Amino acid sequence: MVWIVLAVILLIILTLLFSPVKIFVNYQNGKTSIIIKYLFIKKNVNQIRKRKKNLKKSKSEEHNKDESRQKKSKFRNIIPEDNKEKIEFVLNILKSTGKTFKHITKHICVKNIDLDFIISDLDAYDCALKFGKINIAVYNIIAYLNFFIKLKKKSIDIKCIYNQPECSYNLSFMIKISPAAGISAMIVFIFTFLVNNKSIKNQNKYEPQL
């Protein structure tokens, strides 16, 4: 009976860790919509932002000042006071972030990329130039991003229509990542940061003082 309970708990934990978080991004006619979906939970980011704005308005200015002071004091405790140590601290964070970025991008997948781009200009020659430049830019960006993350295109449609004053574009895609990837990335960051920090301290310890 105990083994069954443990197996069920383990199954639930594995399901929570490896079930993907899906982020649906949609830009249509100048309006952006971001929806986050995880298992049975679905949240609209635009609605969350509106609620936060309403909460901020209801808060007093003095309360906001107190919060900002508390945040500053927390950062002061973490960041060293010596200028040399500050530079080493920042460099250590950058090095650790680089390794974390490489680790997490392996587990990110961008699917169903749908881009509808209408290039327009009043002059036919300028419109053709814009069309060529944007084609090169779009496909180069996709090729570059493909080195870091998995990309799966659905439709990329770039049209050239002259004798119109403005360009227009619509974009939609879905980002897929599991919580396990995020947790492992955090572990990589903390481990790398601590190892680098220890090596910096050892170097400073044996450095001859002037």
Side-chain angles (χ1 to χ4, degrees):
M1 187 70 184
V2 176
W3 290 108
I4 295 166
V5 173
L6 288 171
V8 170
I9 292 165
L10 183 63
L11 184 65
I12 291 164
I13 291 165
L14 290 171
T15 305
L16 291 169
L17 285 173
F18 291 98
S19 293
V21 177
K22 295 176 182 177
I23 304 165
F24 298 89
V25 180
N26 189 19
Y27 180 86
Q28 296 283 335
N29 301 319
K31 291 181 180 179
T32 307
S33 171
I34 302 168
I35 295 166
I36 300 168
K37 194 176 179 183
Y38 175 64
L39 293 173
F40 307 107
I41 302 162
K42 192 177 179 181
K43 293 286 179 182
N44 193 323
V45 174
N46 297 339
Q47 290 177 357
I48 294 164
R49 281 178 183 173
K50 284 177 184 177
R51 285 172 191 170
K52 281 184 178 180
K53 280 180 183 178
N54 292 331
L55 285 167
K56 280 180 181 178
K57 284 178 183 178
S58 63
K59 283 182 179 180
S60 63
E61 289 182 3
E62 289 180 5
H63 184 68
N64 289 335
K65 283 178 182 178
D66 290 335
E67 281 186 351
S68 64
R69 282 171 190 167
Q70 285 174 5
K71 283 178 183 177
K72 282 178 182 178
S73 63
K74 283 178 183 177
F75 281 118
R76 280 172 188 171
N77 292 332
I78 296 164
I79 298 167
E81 292 179 2
D82 186 59
N83 289 329
K84 189 186 174 184
E85 287 179 358
K86 275 182 186 177
I87 293 162
E88 287 171 350
F89 181 81
V90 171
L91 289 170
N92 190 7
I93 287 171
L94 290 171
K95 283 178 185 177
S96 305
T97 306
K99 285 189 178 181
T100 308
F101 178 77
K102 285 178 185 177
H103 178 82
I104 200 164
T105 48
K106 290 176 184 177
H107 303 280
I108 294 172
C109 181
V110 181
K111 297 174 76 176
N112 301 331
I113 300 167
D114 192 358
L115 176 63
D116 183 18
F117 217 131
I118 297 171
I119 314 300
S120 58
D121 199 283
L122 295 171
D123 184 73
Y125 177 75
D126 290 337
C127 188
L129 279 176
K130 280 183 184 177
F131 177 74
K133 285 177 182 177
I134 287 168
N135 258 297
I136 292 164
V138 167
Y139 284 102
N140 278 341
I141 288 164
I142 289 167
Y144 178 75
L145 289 172
N146 219 9
F147 282 108
F148 303 103
I149 55 178
K150 295 172 188 174
L151 295 175
K152 291 182 181 179
K153 294 175 283 183
K154 185 182 177 183
S155 171
I156 294 173
D157 188 16
I158 303 171
K159 295 174 185 174
C160 181
I161 302 170
Y162 73 94
N163 204 20
Q164 285 188 10
E166 292 180 356
C167 299
S168 65
Y169 68 94
N170 296 316
L171 174 67
S172 65
F173 57 90
M174 187 262 284
I175 302 168
K176 195 175 175 184
I177 185 169
S178 67
I183 293 162
S184 63
M186 283 299 298
I187 292 164
V188 168
F189 175 80
I190 292 162
F191 180 76
T192 310
F193 180 81
L194 291 172
V195 168
N196 290 341
N197 199 40
K198 193 177 179 181
S199 64
I200 288 163
K201 282 181 179 178
N202 288 334
Q203 282 176 8
N204 292 337
K205 190 179 177 181
Y206 295 106
E207 237 177 40
Q209 293 182 355
L210 298 172

